Amino acid sequence: METVEKTEQTVGILGGMGPDATVDLMQRIINATPAKDDADHIRLLVDNDPKVPSRIKALIEKTGESPGPYMAKMAQGLEAAGANFLIIPCNTAHKYFDDVVNAVDVPVVNLLDIAAAHVKRTLPEATCIGLLASTAVKITDLYAPACHEQGLEVLFPEPVWQDGVMSLIRAVKANSGTSSMCSVLNIAAESLRDQGADCILIACTELSVVSNHLETSLPVFDAAQILAEHVVERVKG
């Protein structure tokens, strides 16, 4: 009897939001993959398109167009190229998750859901989660439904420190000097701890890029790392 070789699933990544963060996620997937040779790694189809309309302009400044239609076309392109499921590394871009889901026939991973579930599964006693994220995530209350489903209340840093976090995000996007600004992560983490956060979730891929600068006594989770490990588990089983 002829043996049929099992074909692994191909992952489609809606990237470019921002470009550096997309590469960071790809590296995390590579690092998380048990591999002895090139062929053991996961096939990634990546649309690292920085021309996606700005989430900051659309959600914070209220001056830009919705990224939803653009992301939907990206998703269709990845599906046509052979992606078996799609991921969106950008946390804020999940505001337009339904636009992507409705544009394709393949599954789309919801990062917010898997991140909240991972935190609760790992730290079942937690009741309050502190987010280091874009101000757009705060304005839209984007993480609230997923976290509330897990019995987690959502906290953000005090406004002055949230402004600092947003400035750091902009600096990473601009590829400008960020090392001198990263101390705001520690101050923001202190703000979250003082408010009663049981843990911290890094919920912005730009902040994931500089997460090695974060120092806090609280348990820290990174949505980008959670997504990378989810991809490996989904493909490799």
Side-chain angles (χ1 to χ4, degrees), residues 14 66-69 71-72 75 86-104 106-114 142 227 234:
L14 279 76
S66 167
M71 291 172 59
L86 305 179
I87 61 174
I88 308 169
C90 177
N91 291 258
T92 307
H94 279 71
K95 174 65 176 175
Y96 310 99
F97 182 79
D98 288 345
D99 292 84
V100 175
V101 169
N102 293 333
V104 294
V106 295
V108 184
V109 174
N110 189 310
L111 173 57
L112 315 184
D113 288 343
I114 67 169
L142 194 59
L227 180 58
R234 185 167 183 143

Side-chain angles (χ1 to χ4, degrees), residues 27-96:
Q27 188 63 61
R28 289 172 186 269
I29 293 173
I30 292 169
N31 292 345
T33 303
K36 295 181 180 180
D37 199 0
D38 292 348
D40 296 326
H41 283 281
I42 295 169
R43 186 185 181 202
L44 304 175
L45 293 177
V46 186
D47 190 348
N48 197 13
D49 188 349
K51 306 305 181 187
V52 181
S54 169
R55 284 70 57 209
I56 292 174
K57 290 182 178 178
L59 297 173
I60 300 177
E61 299 172 2
K62 310 292 186 183
T63 60
E65 63 181 290
S66 167
Y70 199 104
M71 291 172 59
K73 289 183 179 180
M74 292 172 68
Q76 290 170 343
L78 290 167
E79 181 182 33
N84 299 113
F85 69 94
L86 305 179
I87 61 174
I88 308 169
C90 177
N91 291 258
T92 307
H94 279 71
K95 174 65 176 175
Y96 310 99

Side-chain angles (χ1 to χ4, degrees), residues 50 72 81 148 162 173 178 180 191 195 215:
H148 290 168
Q162 178 60 39
K173 287 182 178 294
T178 58
S180 62
S191 172
Q195 292 180 68
E215 297 178 1

